[in-house]
Amino acid sequence: MTLILKDKAALRAWRATLAPGQKLGFVPTMGALHAGHISLMEQARAAADVVIASIFVNPLQFGPNEDLSRYPRPIEADLAKLEAAGVDALFLPSVEDMYPPGASTFVEESMVSLPLCGAERPGHFRGVATVVLKLFNLVQPHLAVFGQKDAQQCAVIERMVRDLDVPVDIRRGAIVREADGLALSSRNVYLSPEDRAAAPLIYQSLRAVEAAYFDGEHDAGKLAALGLAVLARSERIVPQYWEVRDPESLGAIAKVGSRGALLAVAAHLGTTRLIDNLLLSPGSAAKAIG
């Protein structure tokens, strides 16, 4: 049975009961769990002796016109999924417990957080970095697993951990997709039937660019234009960005070279914003990340 820890004091008391030799794996989430989240917990379970997850809808990473108030919070269903996955404990704090009155300290990464979603959602990654560092300080895990669908988030956290000497092994878990290629996301529930029917074009655009790359097209601008052309097949999809980026720094590149590239896309379908990406790896089949 998954133990529910509702505040920092309960978490610290539970953490103190673990034996020094036990390896603790951690999966931070915002809830509304799906098979992608469960795959991260399974990855943590395979690498650790004890697994803890957190559910916290972090207000710091939502902009003023974003979906904080309507973000899905099906806690009973989430608990059932955690128990089925064999997660040992769940940290379920309140906003007041995580951010005491007058809290004025934030964490900001200033390179990999700037392009892509960072440019479109100012302050988002400051909120991510702040809450993740707080969670790491509280949970003190040996390893933490993040979904690679949020590739830029992974890059920001990896850079923060490196730069601030945080003793946590960061691991990425592969994207889990629907049968038609749509990446699993808690926000998929917002899609209308018509938008849901159009949404697989996002992944199809990534695969079309992947195919063009392996056919010999390495110009980043031409590859991005091809991706946008695929999205244009549906008037329901409004692209926010379609980029070919360095896979580590996320900096702009003119051509895909020996380091490969991250293909990254964000688009709106109605009021729902979806992201997806794919890693081009020279000399081998590409693999989805995000």
Side-chain angles (χ1 to χ4, degrees):
M1 185 172 180
T2 301
L3 179 65
I4 302 175
L5 309 168
K6 292 190 175 181
D7 55 40
K8 292 185 285 191
L11 172 60
R12 290 189 175 109
W14 174 82
R15 182 65 179 83
T17 66
L18 301 185
Q22 287 185 298
K23 194 170 187 179
L24 179 59
F26 178 39
V27 182
T29 82
M30 292 205 303
L33 303 180
H34 51 65
H37 295 111
I38 301 307
S39 73
L40 305 182
M41 295 168 195
E42 291 171 348
Q43 185 172 337
R45 168 62 65 197
D49 302 305
V50 179
V51 175
I52 182 171
S54 64
I55 293 177
F56 180 64
V57 181
N58 176 33
L60 289 189
Q61 66 193 71
F62 287 80
N65 298 313
E66 294 184 342
D67 58 347
L68 173 62
S69 62
R70 70 182 186 118
Y71 195 85
R73 294 169 171 83
I75 187 61
E76 293 302 325
D78 285 350
L79 286 173
K81 292 174 183 176
L82 291 170
E83 292 195 0
V87 173
D88 297 289
L90 169 67
F91 182 42
L92 188 65
S94 66
V95 172
E96 295 74 20
D97 194 45
M98 287 297 289
Y99 299 117
S104 57
T105 304
F106 306 93
V107 181
E108 190 160 8
E109 191 284 328
S110 60
M111 188 180 79
V112 297
S113 65
L114 296 183
L116 305 175
C117 290
E120 300 293 342
R121 304 178 68 190
H124 170 71
F125 287 116
R126 184 178 82 154
V128 169
T130 299
V131 77
V132 170
L133 185 59
K134 286 175 66 70
L135 288 168
F136 284 171
N137 287 336
L138 289 163
V139 175
Q140 300 177 47
H142 298 92
L143 64 96
V145 188
F146 292 84
Q148 294 186 7
K149 184 178 72 68
D150 298 299
Q152 188 172 15
Q153 174 178 275
C154 290
V156 169
I157 292 167
E158 288 164 351
R159 186 60 58 94
M160 177 189 74
V161 163
R162 187 200 73 174
D163 291 352
L164 300 183
D165 299 307
V166 182
V168 180
D169 176 15
I170 305 300
R171 304 189 182 190
R172 298 192 186 197
I175 292 176
V176 177
R177 299 183 180 277
E178 300 282 4
D180 59 10
L182 178 63
L184 293 187
S185 168
S186 300
R187 290 184 167 93
N188 289 352
V189 298
Y190 299 155
L191 295 170
S192 69
E194 296 80 9
D195 289 337
R196 175 62 184 83
L201 272 178
I202 295 174
Y203 184 50
Q204 290 171 29
S205 75
L206 294 168
R207 293 302 301 270
V209 171
E210 171 192 69
Y213 168 75
F214 284 107
D215 282 343
E217 181 59 76
H218 290 185
D219 182 276
K222 292 179 180 178
L223 291 170
L226 172 60
L228 285 169
V230 174
L231 295 188
R233 296 173 190 169
S234 172
E235 62 182 15
R236 306 194 74 88
I237 299 178
V238 180
Q240 195 172 60
Y241 64 74
W242 212 115
E243 299 275 353
V244 181
R245 292 277 173 162
D246 181 89
E248 294 183 15
S249 71
L250 305 187
I253 57 175
K255 288 187 177 295
V256 181
S258 60
R259 289 163 58 86
L262 178 73
L263 310 179
V265 57
H268 282 98
L269 290 93
T271 60
T272 304
R273 181 180 185 271
L274 299 180
I275 61 173
D276 203 348
N277 60 79
L278 187 146
L279 185 67
L280 294 181
S281 301
S284 65
K287 59 181 181 179
I289 77 166

